[in-house]
Amino acid sequence: MKLSIILAPYDSGLYHAGFGQGPDAIIAGGLVDELALRGHDVVVEDIGEVGDAQKREIATGFAVCRAVATKVDMARDDERFPIVLTGNCLTAAGAVAGDAADSLIWIDQHGDLNTPETSAYGFLDGMALATTLGLCWRPMTSAIPGFKAIDPSRCMLVDARDLDPDERRLLETLPIIRAQWTDALDNIGKLKAAGAAQAHLHLDLDVHDPDVLQVNRYALPGGPNPEQLRQLVCGLAKSIPIVGITLSAYDPAFDAKGEVPPVVGQLLGDFFAAHARI
């Protein structure tokens, strides 16, 4: 299979800082070799430095989305499956625009459903899913090439064990499909019934149980172990057409033994083995 790995190494507007060091660490940990050994034709591209000279979080975050949307669209033109490795979850808005997905599977310990009106900290990445669903930052997303907000009824939010009170209230008003990692596959039918034909898979790596795999400083107890997450992702690959993937939120500073990159390599390798059988 032809694959394009697109690196967006940013964290809160900063290039190669914090979570922004994660994409390079995953590549250095052998991802390309793992996928090549499984028979895939892999190319790797970095979006480079984008945004404004002041490195403002909002301006740079959406500049990253625009650059990623363009790279993903180019990958699809070359008949390559796009894999976006990124620091921030917001980048998924660009990936979704580029791969023209009509639905979204968002696997994350957080809801990312705050808006500027509800966010207690003003953290842009805590608004990532809300942005991709068209609930906020609409003037900014309108500048992302090809962006169309995903209808909340065609979004499945998996795990989300750490929600703010306002996120809980918002979820009560939206038709988002809520699932745990243990029953997500049982809810694919609901996604399809809502009209989902081709989905984007967003995977925040801090969904992992931190007692088994620590990926950053924010992870709370709970969540799947790596084998359980691989089984879920492979099940999804067999259940619904997935046209693009984003992986986010890996901070190598919290992975002294370098355990995360091999886990990502095996996860993606197994995903494409399952994906090929659709």
Side-chain angles (χ1 to χ4, degrees):
M1 190 173 187
K2 294 171 66 177
L3 309 176
S4 179
I5 300 176
I6 298 161
L7 308 182
Y10 284 83
D11 184 357
S12 302
L14 300 177
Y15 190 49
H16 288 299
F19 292 0
Q21 299 177 77
D24 283 342
I26 290 172
I27 295 297
L31 177 59
V32 175
D33 289 342
E34 173 71 23
L35 295 174
L37 283 170
R38 292 181 183 237
H40 301 293
D41 174 1
V42 186
V43 297
V44 180
E45 293 188 85
D46 191 312
I47 65 169
E49 292 197 65
V50 299
D52 60 3
Q54 291 77 29
K55 302 185 187 324
R56 290 175 293 187
E57 179 184 11
I58 296 171
T60 302
F62 284 100
V64 169
C65 289
R66 295 193 295 273
V68 164
T70 299
K71 290 286 189 184
V72 170
D73 186 56
M74 291 171 62
R76 291 175 66 245
D77 285 346
D78 194 30
E79 298 183 338
R80 291 184 176 275
F81 186 103
I83 306 162
V84 179
L85 304 183
T86 184
N88 291 140
C89 295
L90 179 70
T91 309
V96 166
D99 63 29
D102 61 18
S103 51
L104 181 59
I105 301 169
W106 194 277
I107 304 178
D108 196 331
Q109 76 154 346
H110 302 103
D112 293 343
L113 279 167
N114 280 304
T115 68
E117 292 77 21
T118 65
S119 176
Y121 305 103
F123 183 41
L124 183 61
D125 221 36
M127 310 178 203
L129 179 54
T131 300
T132 308
L133 299 180
L135 306 179
C136 59
W137 298 109
R138 286 183 286 272
M140 306 298 281
T141 55
S142 68
I144 301 173
F147 180 81
K148 293 181 180 178
I150 299 294
D151 188 310
S153 68
R154 294 199 299 271
C155 172
M156 182 164 67
L157 176 60
V158 181
D159 194 66
R161 61 188 184 268
D162 184 12
L163 294 169
D164 294 337
D166 282 322
E167 290 180 305
R168 293 183 186 279
R169 283 190 283 271
L170 181 61
L171 279 168
E172 292 175 358
T173 71
L174 293 173
I176 291 173
I177 300 164
R178 290 290 310 278
Q180 300 303 312
W181 62 268
T182 53
D183 65 1
L185 294 176
D186 297 332
N187 283 277
I188 289 295
K190 295 179 183 178
L191 204 59
K192 291 180 176 179
Q198 52 182 30
H200 180 89
L201 175 61
H202 172 75
L203 179 57
D204 186 316
L205 292 169
D206 71 11
V207 75
H208 283 102
D209 182 347
D211 289 335
V212 181
L213 189 73
Q214 182 85 28
V215 302
N216 62 42
R217 65 184 178 276
Y218 296 115
L220 293 181
N225 65 36
E227 174 60 27
Q228 290 165 333
L229 186 62
R230 279 198 304 275
Q231 290 177 2
L232 169 57
V233 167
C234 290
L236 292 170
K238 297 173 185 176
S239 301
I240 188 169
I242 294 176
V243 294
I245 295 176
T246 49
L247 291 99
S248 67
Y250 170 44
D251 186 346
F254 290 80
D255 182 28
K257 295 181 180 179
E259 295 177 310
V260 173
V263 167
V264 171
Q266 187 171 356
L267 182 148
L268 288 174
D270 290 356
F271 168 85
F272 286 113
H275 183 272
R277 292 195 290 270
I278 289 181

